[in-house]
Amino acid sequence: MNGRHAAPTPDPGHGTDDGSDPGKAPEDHAGFVAVSVRLTGFDEFDLRATGLVRLYHDTTLDQVGRPAVGRFLADLDAAGGDPDRITDETSRDIARAITHLWYLGVWPQLARSTHAALRRERANTAFVVSPEAYTEGLVWRTFHGHPPGAKPPGHGTWAAAPPGAPVRPVARRTEGAA
Amino acid sequence: MSAGPAGRDARRHDVIVVGAGMAGSLLAKQLGDQGWRVLVLEAGTRTLDTWPGYLDALDTYYAATAKVPNAPYRPNAAAPSPSVLDLEGLPAGGYRAHGYFLQNGPLPYSSDYLRATGGTAMHWMGIVPRMHPEDFAVRRRYGYGRDWPIGYDDLEPHYRAAERALGVAGDADEQREGAGLPFPPGYVYPMRAIPRSYLDAVLAHRLDGAAVRERPDGPDTVLRVVATPHARNGTPDPRYDGGRGHRPAGAAGLPNYGERCVGNASCVPICPVQAKYNPLKTQATWSPRVTLVDRAVVSRVLTAANGRVRGVEYQRYDDPATPAHTTRTAEADIVVLAAHAIENARLLLVSRLAGSSGQVGRNLMDHPMLLTWGLMDQQVGPFRGPGSTSGLESFRTGPARGTRAPFRIEIGNWGWSWPAGSPGTDVARLLGIDADTGRPRGRGVFGKKLRESLGRDLGRQFSLQFAFEQEAESRNRVTIDPSHRDPLGNPRPVLTYDLSEHVKRGMAAARTVSDQIFRLLGAEDRTGYAPGPLAPGWFRHDGRDYVFNGAGHGGGTHIMGTTARTSVVDQWQRCWDHPNLYAVGCGSMPSMGTSNPSLTMAALALRSGERIHRDLRELKGPATVGRQQGGRP
Amino acid sequence: MTATTRPSVLAEPPFRVPADRADLHLFLQAALALEHLTIPPYLTAMYTLRPGTNRPAFYAVRAVVLEEMLHMALVANLLNAVGGEVLVADPRFVTGYPALLPYSRDRITVALRHFGVTALETFLRIEQPEFMSGPPGHPSTRGDEGWTSIGQFYGTIREGVLRLSAELGERRLFNGDRALQVGPEHFYNSGGEVFAVTDLASALKALRVITEQGEGVNMSVFDSDDRIFGEAREPAHYFRFNEILQQRSYAPDDTPAGGPTGPAVDVTWHDAYPIDPGARVAHYPPGSAVRRAAEEFNEVYAQLLCVLESAFTGAPRAIGDAAPVMLRLRHLAERLYRNPHPDPAKRARGLHASATYEVTERHFERARRFVPRRRAG
């Protein structure tokens, strides 16, 4: 038996009494996402799929300040959008930090020189920005893994070959003298 | 529980159990089911057996920068726990100890434990091999260490009872053939074996049947990858218990929530779904005659006439962050210390009890661990599944034990997370981020290059974890120094620890074996041992460098033996000097073999439970309340 | 098997007590589809929660979903026990959403909605306990022209099982292959466990679990897990959902009429990603990442149904493979919900992309590459 098709609800977005605010789109931080795509090598869908764009945007501003972020964006622009060609060491360290944040959910210690150059009035310590930031780290996706303690793949899945590996083990490829 | 005006517990108990960890929880369950009134005093807090409390621990773990075994569990000044982060290696070797332990030995004791309801078994790996029969007689057979007053056969029924209580998944036939363990005919574990990892299969394919030598002129040892028994929910075996099968125990704190292991790959430090056994599950089935009082730090054992004890004095606190507390006493016919090897010894020393042999606190043992790690020539799927699902068992037994410590090789499923802090360190390295912020940073790679580089290498990481038997040595010990106290005024443990030549020779043999295994695998060996802040366990032996880690398997400190002259407890874990004082746990073990010790500890506790039941019946006649099953069957 | 003897899952069971074995098969196959109908909307509510928020709600809905899975397995066991053949991996088994809730007097629309008041109100309608009408033909239902409630539908199945067992004899009715039965060693998790259905007693027990976990026992708030499984009893599905809606849990002595008076339940309605309940894959631009992800979701959902069908048609151990596929679905769905809707107008209204659960024969064909079909033909 199938549920019979009903007519689609005429106005799906409006009139929710759920406390959500569908009349107003949340700030989408398109610029931060575009920069993050270049830094991380992950596309916009992957980055937004973490649900952490706003938190990372705000964390970055909070940690290094708006002027330094502005200089970093200008330096990245001058480098043709390729973070590898950023020459200013402070901007490059900001690039490292944002990338580290996306990959691990951890805002890292800045280089002591960067910390001093930015005259930061806070301790230069590494921290996990939120519990979800850890579980959404991109590093696990680089090898089709999952963060320990979250996103478990299911009973016995560890017995299956990971993507890119032969389904059944094969003899070693390099010969070593035993 | 109510306390009288003088802070004295108004009700009298048959048994007081100090510590709500694995041994204490199992004992309380057994005695409560037999009708005895049991008071369990837990030094730490009791938040983990509620689901919000458990999820808080999970969040704390997620948010911790260093994901060490105690990371999920909130610090508690009133009942401090040691942490592996307390040790700091020095640039040219040597170490500095911070935190709860004071350490003055040549090498650091590198293991932690947890003082909270559920105890250290909240963050154990859940690996439960039995000890080998020859492990019980190492002095007699191989001329080192100490022998047990009992043998494998005496403990075998209790191994089965422990496997039932913990809900063990395993393959008894494979353990018999691959690890040489005897089982009763037809025995099956409660659950079928946990599937072995893809990495295990790769190693088995390349190693099974191959031979290695510990010395160029030494005998061949044939390798075989053997699946490991786990206290972890898998597939119940309908053949278990004469065809009655096994019903897996679900999570404590959330009704009817019980998953089989879904591969969270975080058994240490916290299983998010509680597929892995923890003592909270046992506590959930306690009879109503078992009373748990948390935030109750036992400060000493109280004595009566004739060498008997009458109860304990404990400090009850409300806020784990302040030293405010009230001192109370509780009395019972039998007192059982089940607070961890080091805490049990500390309590006996503070109470000046059980000291006639001079062995209290001595013979401190662990399973020192040597890690080797490398890159396979293909993707192997690391960071998946339980921490280890198979091992190489060929070096655990046999005549070589006469010259070097035996060892068990665990195949590490979690990449280089233990030896090298992967993948965090890999990300930092590729980005040019040095741990020393004063050093100039590397240029770093970004974007696709970074992503591809990580993808290529992280998926090839694997490690071998060599666990060595450490023999009982009286120089390795726990003492107390009244001038060093915790915030509640209790003396902190002072540890003196070192590795013997026997152990170091075992490590040298293991390194040789590891080199050959890496060649057989065709893997790139990336093992490196250098002194530094993260290598407090660095030492040099015979011109080679080593770094060892702790396994969290502390034992030996109230050692079991055949006479009161040479040991602290008898074969029932009963103090020779005090007929109604028991000290249970790994502290009783005269030798630890190469098996993760929790299963043996559990078996010993259940065996002691039988003795305590007999003691109580002799003292008081049958239990005043009839035998009654607690919890669900 | 040829197409002519294949049970027509498109046919609705007649409004009468099952008169013969074929009738009973039709009813049970329909019950299977009914149990399944509720799963996508419940999953949608669960996975639209913002990570780390609304945990009591998450675990409550999760427990209900797992019990619906348990019910599917029990119905499949019952269908196999009476010699039927289970059909799951088929486009005719999968409804489109929004759907109309069958076997109900009222027109109840079931849509895929994000976690919120509207979604919960629908869930309450689905699980609503009602005074059980007698089966068709009973004096109390004289004059009725159709079903009044799901409870009545299951009551009718129960009546049919009883009558056929009496007419044919218990052993002849329960003539199915025992090897097809999914047992407790194959599936356990939340609230009860699967058991084999081999006779009248186990058949009635299965029907009892299904109705009492959903609606409660003897007009009370609670299910009968304590009596049937020796587990902790819990509020039945209707009341678990009501706890979230009322933001208060039931105390042990609470009654359906009195409402929940226990401790408060923490719910933050705004901690969910709003979605378009009418979303279709076709609404997403071809070639977009959202489109690819939504397609992948539907394909993996087809894999889940293939796994379930294998488990119910001869490979009971295969049900163990359902959990990994469900976990994949969860991760895929969460990634979708966190992305804004690709349509600028919908995005401007704060709507997010969503999983659509549109499963067609094309999806099944692809899914069968990973999960081959067991049945012949």
Side-chain angles (χ1 to χ4, degrees), chain A residues 39 41-42 84 92-93 96 109 111-112 134 142 146 148-150 153-155 158-160 162 165-166 170 172-174 177, chain B residues 61-62 67 195-196 198 206 261-266 272 377 379 381 384 431 437 441-443 447-448 451 455 519-520 522:
Chain A
L39 290 173
F42 283 85
D84 197 39
R92 204 166 174 100
D93 212 34
R96 290 186 193 105
Q109 281 185 303
R112 204 176 293 162
Y134 161 70
T142 66
H146 69 91
H155 188 69
W158 52 88
V170 295
R172 65 206 166 96
R173 290 178 203 154
T174 52
Chain B
Y61 161 66
Y62 289 159
K67 299 207 164 6
R196 68 180 186 173
Y198 179 79
R206 299 182 186 192
C261 171
V262 286
N264 266 293
S266 61
D377 58 7
Q379 297 286 307
R384 298 192 304 174
L431 286 171
T437 56
R441 297 200 151 174
R443 287 181 53 81
K448 290 261 182 289
R451 180 177 176 176
R519 280 199 293 274
L520 287 165

Side-chain angles (χ1 to χ4, degrees), chain A residues 37-43 46 83-86 89 92-93 95-97 99-100 103-104 106 108-113 124 126-128 130-132 134-135 139-140 142-143 146-174 176-178, chain B residues 58-59 61-65 67 194-199 201-202 205-206 233-235 260-266 270 272 377-386 389 423-424 427-428 431-433 435-439 441-451 454-456 458-459 519-523:
Chain A
V37 166
R38 293 187 175 276
L39 290 173
T40 62
F42 283 85
D43 66 20
D46 282 331
D84 197 39
R85 289 170 51 201
I86 297 176
E89 188 45 37
R92 204 166 174 100
D93 212 34
R96 290 186 193 105
T99 313
H100 193 273
Y103 269 78
L104 297 165
V106 178
Q109 281 185 303
L110 299 178
R112 204 176 293 162
S113 53
N124 186 19
F127 63 97
V128 182
S130 80
E132 290 72 36
Y134 161 70
T135 65
V139 66
W140 309 102
T142 66
F143 64 102
H146 69 91
K151 302 182 192 289
H155 188 69
T157 48
W158 52 88
V167 172
R168 298 203 178 285
V170 295
R172 65 206 166 96
R173 290 178 203 154
T174 52
Chain B
L58 192 60
D59 274 343
Y61 161 66
Y62 289 159
T65 41
K67 299 207 164 6
I194 295 290
R196 68 180 186 173
S197 67
Y198 179 79
L199 172 65
V202 171
H205 188 79
R206 299 182 186 192
N233 286 343
T235 305
R260 63 189 76 196
C261 171
V262 286
N264 266 293
S266 61
I270 183 167
D377 58 7
Q378 64 160 82
Q379 297 286 307
V380 290
F383 302 94
R384 298 192 304 174
T389 38
V427 172
L431 286 171
I433 298 177
D436 181 347
T437 56
R439 298 242 296 257
R441 297 200 151 174
R443 287 181 53 81
V445 294
F446 299 95
K448 290 261 182 289
K449 238 164 115 183
L450 172 66
R451 180 177 176 176
L454 287 166
R456 190 175 55 245
L458 287 172
R519 280 199 293 274
L520 287 165
L521 292 172

Side-chain angles (χ1 to χ4, degrees), chain A residues 17-86:
Chain A
D17 40 11
D18 299 353
S20 62
D21 193 359
K24 185 170 151 235
E27 170 62 54
D28 67 359
H29 304 297
F32 180 72
V33 169
V35 168
S36 296
V37 166
R38 293 187 175 276
L39 290 173
T40 62
F42 283 85
D43 66 20
E44 176 174 355
F45 180 82
D46 282 331
L47 299 185
R48 293 204 183 274
T50 63
L52 293 167
V53 168
R54 189 175 71 191
L55 180 63
Y56 288 174
H57 168 269
D58 294 353
T59 300
T60 304
L61 275 182
D62 186 48
Q63 286 296 314
V64 299
R66 201 169 284 278
V69 170
R71 286 192 298 273
F72 158 69
L73 292 173
D75 287 344
L76 180 61
D77 219 30
D82 179 0
D84 197 39
R85 289 170 51 201
I86 297 176

Side-chain angles (χ1 to χ4, degrees), chain B residues 96-348:
Chain B
R96 192 174 292 134
H98 311 275
Y100 179 52
F101 289 154
L102 298 146
Q103 301 219 39
N104 59 22
L107 288 172
Y109 177 82
S110 314
S111 285
D112 68 357
Y113 49 87
L114 176 65
R115 296 170 80 192
T117 319
T120 313
M122 297 311 298
H123 68 54
W124 71 316
M125 182 59 84
I127 289 175
V128 284
R130 293 181 178 192
M131 278 175 65
H132 199 277
E134 68 174 53
D135 293 333
F136 295 81
V138 290
R139 165 66 55 186
R140 211 156 58 238
R141 295 190 61 154
Y142 300 117
Y144 69 87
R146 282 182 175 236
D147 287 348
W148 289 57
I150 56 173
Y152 181 89
D153 292 341
D154 298 301
L155 207 51
E156 202 285 329
H158 305 98
Y159 268 136
R160 275 180 279 145
E163 284 156 0
R164 175 191 298 270
L166 307 187
V168 173
D171 182 338
D173 292 336
E174 191 180 357
Q175 284 292 297
R176 187 185 288 119
E177 292 154 22
L181 283 165
F183 292 88
Y187 180 69
V188 296
Y189 283 110
M191 286 185 268
R192 295 185 192 276
I194 295 290
R196 68 180 186 173
S197 67
Y198 179 79
L199 172 65
D200 293 343
V202 171
L203 262 63
H205 188 79
R206 299 182 186 192
L207 298 180
D208 275 1
V212 295
R213 290 179 174 178
E214 296 179 26
R215 301 185 310 276
D217 57 340
D220 279 349
T221 304
V222 176
L223 302 176
R224 174 175 172 181
V225 173
V226 179
T228 308
H230 295 254
R232 193 181 314 290
N233 286 343
T235 305
D237 192 333
R239 297 171 299 170
Y240 181 67
D241 197 11
R244 278 179 288 275
H246 170 78
R247 190 164 187 191
L254 189 63
N256 302 349
Y257 180 66
E259 283 190 275
R260 63 189 76 196
C261 171
V262 286
N264 266 293
S266 61
C267 328
V268 181
I270 183 167
C271 174
V273 301
Q274 294 190 30
K276 179 188 70 180
Y277 171 83
N278 69 52
L280 307 177
K281 299 188 184 200
T282 299
Q283 292 169 14
T285 67
W286 275 347
S287 119
R289 282 176 300 280
V290 179
T291 307
L292 173 65
V293 177
D294 68 332
R295 291 171 288 124
V297 181
V298 172
S299 42
R300 64 191 170 114
V301 180
L302 303 170
T303 49
N306 312 324
R308 299 184 72 84
V309 299
R310 64 179 168 90
V312 298
E313 174 191 271
Y314 65 96
Q315 300 158 314
R316 189 84 209 279
Y317 60 90
D318 286 321
D319 179 354
T322 76
H325 66 273
T326 51
T327 300
R328 304 181 181 204
T329 61
E331 298 193 350
D333 297 294
I334 288 180
V335 173
V336 181
L337 307 183
H340 182 273
I342 289 172
E343 293 297 316
N344 276 0
R346 198 179 61 76
L347 262 175
L348 290 172

Side-chain angles (χ1 to χ4, degrees), chain B residues 266-594:
Chain B
S266 61
C267 328
V268 181
I270 183 167
C271 174
V273 301
Q274 294 190 30
K276 179 188 70 180
Y277 171 83
N278 69 52
L280 307 177
K281 299 188 184 200
T282 299
Q283 292 169 14
T285 67
W286 275 347
S287 119
R289 282 176 300 280
V290 179
T291 307
L292 173 65
V293 177
D294 68 332
R295 291 171 288 124
V297 181
V298 172
S299 42
R300 64 191 170 114
V301 180
L302 303 170
T303 49
N306 312 324
R308 299 184 72 84
V309 299
R310 64 179 168 90
V312 298
E313 174 191 271
Y314 65 96
Q315 300 158 314
R316 189 84 209 279
Y317 60 90
D318 286 321
D319 179 354
T322 76
H325 66 273
T326 51
T327 300
R328 304 181 181 204
T329 61
E331 298 193 350
D333 297 294
I334 288 180
V335 173
V336 181
L337 307 183
H340 182 273
I342 289 172
E343 293 297 316
N344 276 0
R346 198 179 61 76
L347 262 175
L348 290 172
L349 291 166
V350 170
S351 312
R352 298 171 186 277
L353 292 174
S356 67
S357 65
Q359 294 296 312
V360 171
R362 293 188 183 272
N363 308 302
L364 174 64
M365 294 177 267
D366 192 2
H367 282 128
M369 305 286 301
L370 191 71
L371 312 177
T372 63
W373 59 98
L375 289 177
M376 202 70 80
D377 58 7
Q378 64 160 82
Q379 297 286 307
V380 290
F383 302 94
R384 298 192 304 174
S388 176
T389 38
S390 294
L392 296 156
E393 315 284 341
S394 312
F395 306 92
R396 296 174 63 186
T397 54
R401 291 179 89 161
T403 53
R404 53 108 180 113
F407 50 95
R408 178 170 181 271
I409 309 175
E410 284 179 354
I411 297 168
N413 285 337
W414 295 345
W416 302 351
S417 56
W418 193 6
S422 291
T425 47
D426 305 84
V427 172
R429 178 175 43 78
L430 285 166
L431 286 171
I433 298 177
D434 195 288
D436 181 347
T437 56
R439 298 242 296 257
R441 297 200 151 174
R443 287 181 53 81
V445 294
F446 299 95
K448 290 261 182 289
K449 238 164 115 183
L450 172 66
R451 180 177 176 176
E452 284 162 12
S453 177
L454 287 166
R456 190 175 55 245
D457 289 351
L458 287 172
R460 298 192 292 138
Q461 291 187 353
F462 76 103
S463 69
L464 300 177
Q465 300 159 188
F466 296 76
F468 298 86
E469 180 184 41
Q470 178 173 33
E471 75 273 29
E473 287 190 277
S474 69
R475 66 186 178 122
N476 288 338
R477 65 185 298 197
V478 183
T479 54
I480 50 171
D481 173 351
S483 60
H484 294 286
R485 294 174 181 268
D486 70 17
L488 258 54
N490 295 303
R492 289 156 55 195
V494 182
L495 306 187
T496 309
Y497 187 78
D498 199 2
L499 300 181
S500 68
E501 278 298 302
H502 196 66
V503 170
K504 290 177 178 174
R505 281 196 299 270
M507 291 185 173
R511 188 67 213 267
T512 306
V513 166
S514 176
D515 291 347
Q516 292 168 71
I517 290 177
F518 276 79
R519 280 199 293 274
L520 287 165
L521 292 172
E524 286 174 49
D525 196 341
R526 295 296 185 86
T527 309
Y529 302 129
L534 300 174
W538 175 86
F539 67 92
R540 188 165 280 162
H541 178 256
D542 242 3
R544 267 186 115 169
D545 284 11
Y546 298 88
V547 173
F548 81 101
N549 291 272
H553 296 173
T557 50
H558 40 85
I559 206 153
M560 175 192 290
T562 44
T563 72
R565 205 168 37 77
T566 57
S567 59
V568 180
V569 300
D570 67 11
Q571 59 162 301
W572 305 104
Q573 307 190 81
R574 184 168 52 179
C575 293
W576 290 108
D577 299 349
H578 314 284
N580 64 338
L581 176 62
Y582 285 73
V584 304
C586 295
S588 299
M589 294 169 66
S591 73
M592 307 232 306
T594 46

